[in-house]
Amino acid sequence: MEQDLNHPGGLLLPKGHASLARGVNRTVPGSVHALALGGGYTVGPREGRTVYFGRNRPLVHVCIGEDDQQVSRRHGLLTHHRGQWWLRNSGRRPIRLPRSQWLFAEEGAIPLAPGYTPLHVPGTRDREHLLEIYVTGPDGDQPRSRHGDDTDAPQPYSLTADEQLMLVVLGQYYLLREPNPKPLTWKEAARQLEELRPEDGWTAKKLERRVSVVRERLSRRGVANLTREEVGEPVGNALNDNLLRELVRSTALTPKDLDLLD
């Protein structure tokens, strides 16, 4: 059964609208803006208000992946509840969020923070369909331009020389710019460390313990998804993958560190 898609105060965003990554014009605090390739929609906050997105244009506010049958007719929805916008997946395929997080249909809704959030809906073969979301903050304004301000320098995490070496070995494919990098196995990394530093007595167990210390230290500093409780079972490579991506993002590890492997 088709639901009424008309919301008082809602506005269509035309095809070709400027990216929401640049911010939005001053608007009602707590408004949500959603934009895809073919246009978008914006509406103010109200308890229970819902914005639908998916492939079937007559059934959604924002049409995404119109020609791609891997995208569900109603792939997801944004709902305003208790002063916040929540994202839920109602489609057959997961939605990719920032930091390579995935939202599946069987999961509950997740809250959206004020500001810009890009979502990616996987399609046929290697296609991905971008849905831009922008939630205005309490003042209803876009971020102030800072053209002339000094650039904030990255704050890399402090690593000992041994920690840096073992993490470069473990995460060398991340520094080699591989398209889908994965950490070496404990045995592979320990074997290479043994070749580089035979006097240090590296083993797979020793390496696992030392990397665990680094993960715990960063987790205490507020880095997310570095513990089994956060990631859930099966863990697989997820903990080391999240650790290495954070170290590269923060510039604690850079491609120049590959010189340690020579």
Side-chain angles (χ1 to χ4, degrees):
M1 180 176 64
E2 295 191 14
Q3 298 187 35
D4 180 13
L5 298 182
N6 295 318
H7 290 317
L11 295 173
L12 294 176
L13 304 178
K15 181 178 180 180
H17 189 280
S19 169
L20 300 182
R22 302 174 182 174
V24 297
N25 293 327
R26 188 172 182 86
T27 185
V28 176
S31 296
V32 69
H33 313 255
L35 180 67
L37 190 63
Y41 187 76
T42 179
V43 71
R46 181 178 295 174
E47 181 68 23
R49 180 167 278 172
T50 300
V51 176
Y52 297 96
F53 60 90
R55 174 169 49 91
N56 192 334
R57 187 174 292 275
L59 292 181
V60 296
H61 297 92
V62 183
C63 186
I64 179 172
E66 192 165 13
D67 62 343
D68 193 336
Q69 288 180 256
Q70 291 292 321
V71 179
S72 295
R73 285 168 287 190
R74 267 192 178 165
H75 205 99
L77 55 150
L78 308 166
T79 302
H80 193 265
H81 179 58
R82 294 185 178 179
Q84 199 164 15
W85 286 98
W86 296 74
L87 168 68
R88 181 183 293 276
N89 184 349
S90 59
R92 292 180 177 272
R93 306 196 71 182
I95 297 171
R96 181 164 63 84
L97 294 90
R99 299 178 65 85
S100 299
Q101 301 296 307
W102 293 91
L103 179 64
F104 292 84
E106 59 267 22
E107 297 180 281
I110 61 171
L112 291 172
Y116 179 72
T117 303
L119 308 176
H120 292 85
V121 178
T124 303
R125 298 185 181 89
D126 293 330
R127 294 183 69 185
E128 280 197 333
H129 304 279
L130 172 65
L131 178 67
E132 298 182 89
I133 306 294
Y134 195 101
V135 177
T136 54
D139 59 359
D141 209 352
Q142 68 182 92
R144 179 176 65 85
S145 297
R146 298 177 177 271
H147 301 155
D149 292 359
D150 292 337
T151 302
D152 290 337
Q155 300 294 322
Y157 304 101
S158 178
L159 300 172
T160 67
D162 281 351
E163 289 173 342
Q164 185 180 32
L165 175 63
M166 72 182 186
L167 289 164
V168 168
V169 170
L170 188 68
Q172 56 193 271
Y173 292 126
Y174 296 78
L175 302 176
L176 288 166
R177 304 181 183 91
E178 294 285 340
N180 294 295
K182 290 182 174 56
L184 267 63
T185 66
W186 297 123
K187 288 184 178 179
E188 291 170 337
R191 189 180 305 120
Q192 189 167 354
L193 285 164
E194 181 65 17
E195 294 173 358
L196 292 167
R197 298 277 185 83
E199 68 277 10
D200 290 346
W202 285 101
T203 66
K205 284 294 184 184
K206 176 179 178 178
L207 176 61
E208 186 174 359
R209 288 195 300 271
R210 294 290 299 276
V211 172
S212 177
V213 169
V214 177
R215 284 203 312 264
E216 291 171 2
R217 188 166 75 232
L218 266 63
S219 179
R220 289 195 297 270
R221 290 188 56 176
V223 180
N225 298 314
L226 296 183
T227 66
R228 287 180 174 271
E229 292 74 19
E230 293 173 292
V231 172
E233 300 292 345
V235 171
N237 283 331
L239 296 179
N240 284 344
D241 179 68
N242 294 339
L243 171 65
L244 291 165
R245 290 182 186 277
E246 176 64 19
L247 291 174
V248 171
R249 185 198 67 80
S250 69
T251 70
L253 298 181
T254 70
K256 183 173 174 53
D257 293 327
L258 290 169
D259 292 346
L260 296 172
L261 307 186
D262 290 342

